[in-house]
Amino acid sequence: MRILLYSHDTFGLGHLRRSRAIANALVQRWPDSSILIISGSPIIGNFEFMQGVDYIRIPGVTKLTNGNYRSLHLNTSLEDAVQLRQSLILETVQSFEPDIMIIDKEPTGFHGEVIPALKQARMQGCRLVLGIRDILDEPALLIPEWERKGAVKALVEYYDEIWVYGLKDIYEPLAALNLPEDVQKRVYYTGYLNRDMPEIRIPRNYPRIVKQPFTLVTTGGGGDGADLIDWVISAYEAKPDLNLSTLLVFGPFINRSLQKTFLERIAKFPRLDAILFDNKLEVLMQRAEAVVAMGGYNTFCEILSFDKKALIIPRTKPRLEQHIRAVASERLGLVRHLNDDGIRDPHIMVEALERLSTQGKPSEATIPGLLDGLARIEERVSSLLPQLKRESAQDAAE
């Protein structure tokens, strides 16, 4: 079996880490399979993949502060970068000949770059799946965005199944789109993607602070996490005797000048420390007593998987995804959340950090199927395989 995963990765780590978790799970279930990830992430080489999984890195693009995009490294126009990416994706489909192709989040890819590959995959008899996280955005923004991208049209024309990596009882990300009935029948809710501890081949060199009970603060990729980092540091500045050890993980995309300033402030407090990035963050997550995070999809899955007390401080721009997830999960008793009001009173953060010790764990809220995501994905792949075998046999007979 050959499976191809597409992850556009214009910003952050979320799409890549989700694709990696799925790929590693599938190759564990089917050890003789070959799984290939197409990604635009500039740091995909920092991650380890299981035997049977490999990746192709296409030229990166990045989002500017005004919402526009540009080529990340190449000295070329965005249009030329997209054309190159599109050609590489199409050639990969033609050469790799996948049995199943899983597209992450964007039905037509970045700027429509995956459409030619979808057409080619269809001609080759490949099964096409769209995989989306539990929450995309608020309906007022999602509807015009998907109309502009021709996303619903792509669902109708190309996709055999749509996998929602969440629970219907928590949120229905496509409910506002008024999808045709035959498309709605292709939607499967998997539950959240459970995370396991990665294999540690070389001992990790962590700061001394992790040898005692500590709170982990993570901002994912870090490109938009500076406000959270600043707020946590300000809590220690407001209350220097705060009796709580905290490790901050900046993320690989943090602004370098801000990183330097943060480290200078952190150095003044013995109970506060920081690292830039850890490609096996699950290890720190498991060791931590509690977690403070912005609440992106992958971090949320890890909080549930390792059953950690968590405080979520979601971003609200450019999407409300994290805010919607934080509110819904707090309602169910899984986490607590704190809104960033733009003022970021240090004393409010002090109180929030101190309350973590008395907070309940996610496991205290019983929600059936909450972490069944990877198992359900394996079931869906198993259901697609007999169809592929039947069609292959028919083609051979003809």
Side-chain angles (χ1 to χ4, degrees):
M1 179 173 62
R2 296 183 179 186
I3 297 178
L4 180 63
L5 292 95
Y6 161 85
S7 174
H8 66 282
D9 290 299
T10 58
F11 185 74
L13 297 173
H15 306 288
L16 167 61
R17 295 185 66 215
R18 183 161 55 244
S19 296
R20 174 175 170 265
I22 293 170
N24 284 342
L26 291 177
V27 83
Q28 280 185 295
R29 172 65 176 79
W30 290 279
D32 293 334
S33 62
S34 292
I35 302 179
L36 189 60
I37 300 173
I38 296 178
S39 172
S41 173
I43 63 168
I44 189 170
N46 291 61
F47 290 89
E48 295 178 2
F49 298 88
M50 299 188 67
Q51 177 63 33
V53 181
D54 210 335
Y55 63 88
I56 293 175
R57 186 190 179 282
I58 54 178
V61 293
T62 187
K63 194 171 188 177
L64 304 175
T65 54
N66 62 5
N68 295 325
Y69 291 87
R70 65 168 175 81
S71 174
L72 180 60
H73 295 304
L74 294 178
N75 296 317
T76 185
S77 68
L78 177 65
E79 291 74 18
D80 287 346
V82 171
Q83 184 60 49
L84 177 57
R85 287 164 57 105
Q86 178 177 290
S87 298
L88 292 170
I89 297 165
L90 176 59
E91 290 173 12
T92 301
V93 170
Q94 292 171 330
S95 301
F96 187 58
E97 297 183 338
D99 298 302
I100 300 172
M101 185 173 179
I102 304 172
I103 306 297
D104 187 75
K105 184 180 176 288
E106 297 286 350
T108 61
F110 178 70
H111 282 223
E113 67 185 4
V114 83
I115 291 178
L118 295 177
K119 294 178 179 178
Q120 179 64 31
R122 266 274 182 243
M123 291 173 57
Q124 295 174 191
C126 175
R127 285 287 179 264
L128 296 174
V129 176
L130 175 69
I132 61 174
R133 62 182 181 237
D134 57 342
I135 298 158
L136 295 171
D137 203 348
E138 59 180 319
L141 295 180
L142 180 65
I143 293 172
E145 178 186 344
W146 274 43
E147 286 179 352
R148 175 172 50 84
K149 294 178 177 179
V152 174
K153 183 174 182 288
L155 292 185
V156 174
E157 292 186 4
Y158 300 115
Y159 287 95
D160 298 286
E161 295 191 359
I162 302 156
W163 299 343
V164 180
Y165 306 133
L167 291 180
K168 190 173 184 178
D169 292 342
I170 293 179
Y171 196 78
E172 298 181 55
L174 303 177
L177 294 172
N178 194 27
L179 296 174
E181 186 176 349
D182 66 319
V183 174
Q184 293 183 36
K185 292 178 180 178
R186 305 176 209 165
V187 178
Y188 297 87
Y189 286 82
T190 66
Y192 291 90
L193 307 183
N194 183 48
R195 304 303 166 88
D196 294 322
M197 281 291 293
E199 181 181 350
I200 305 297
R201 297 189 179 93
I202 302 174
R204 315 294 279 182
N205 186 24
Y206 291 125
R208 252 182 293 179
I209 202 170
V210 306
K211 294 181 179 179
Q212 56 190 300
F214 71 98
T215 294
L216 176 69
V217 178
T218 173
T219 63
D224 55 1
D227 290 339
L228 173 55
I229 297 293
D230 176 73
W231 201 359
V232 172
I233 297 173
S234 74
Y236 283 81
E237 292 169 336
K239 188 177 181 180
D241 61 344
L242 182 59
N243 189 26
L244 179 71
S245 296
T246 299
L247 177 67
L248 299 139
V249 181
F250 292 147
F253 302 123
I254 190 173
N255 179 282
R256 289 298 181 260
S257 62
L258 283 175
Q259 177 187 339
K260 182 176 181 294
T261 302
F262 287 153
L263 288 173
E264 290 172 353
R265 294 166 63 190
I266 289 168
K268 299 174 184 177
F269 303 98
R271 285 186 171 273
L272 199 56
D273 209 336
I275 60 174
L276 174 61
F277 173 58
D278 186 0
N279 64 355
K280 295 183 178 179
L281 189 67
E282 299 94 337
V283 178
L284 285 172
M285 184 81 72
Q286 188 187 54
R287 290 190 183 187
E289 294 290 306
V291 176
V292 178
M294 296 167 64
Y297 180 84
N298 291 285
T299 303
F300 183 66
C301 288
E302 288 159 353
I303 288 168
L304 298 182
S305 299
F306 299 115
D307 198 25
K308 295 301 174 179
K309 303 174 181 180
L311 172 66
I312 304 299
I313 304 172
R315 70 162 185 249
T316 55
K317 295 178 181 179
R319 299 182 182 278
L320 282 178
E321 167 223 340
Q322 293 182 357
H323 175 75
I324 295 170
R325 181 180 299 113
V327 171
S329 56
E330 183 175 57
R331 171 176 51 84
L332 294 170
L334 296 170
V335 302
R336 282 196 305 106
H337 96 279
L338 175 63
N339 287 326
D340 182 348
D341 59 3
I343 299 174
R344 304 183 193 97
D345 184 335
H347 299 285
I348 292 178
M349 180 57 72
V350 168
E351 181 184 355
L353 291 174
E354 290 179 332
R355 283 183 59 195
L356 273 169
S357 62
T358 60
Q359 184 177 320
K361 294 184 176 182
S363 60
E364 295 176 28
T366 304
I367 303 174
L370 183 65
L371 283 169
D372 287 352
L374 293 175
R376 288 282 289 147
I377 287 172
E378 291 175 12
E379 289 176 9
R380 295 315 312 155
V381 170
S382 294
S383 73
L384 291 173
L385 288 177
Q387 301 176 36
L388 291 166
K389 289 178 180 178
R390 284 197 301 270
E391 292 181 3
S392 178
Q394 290 171 0
D395 291 340
E398 292 173 0

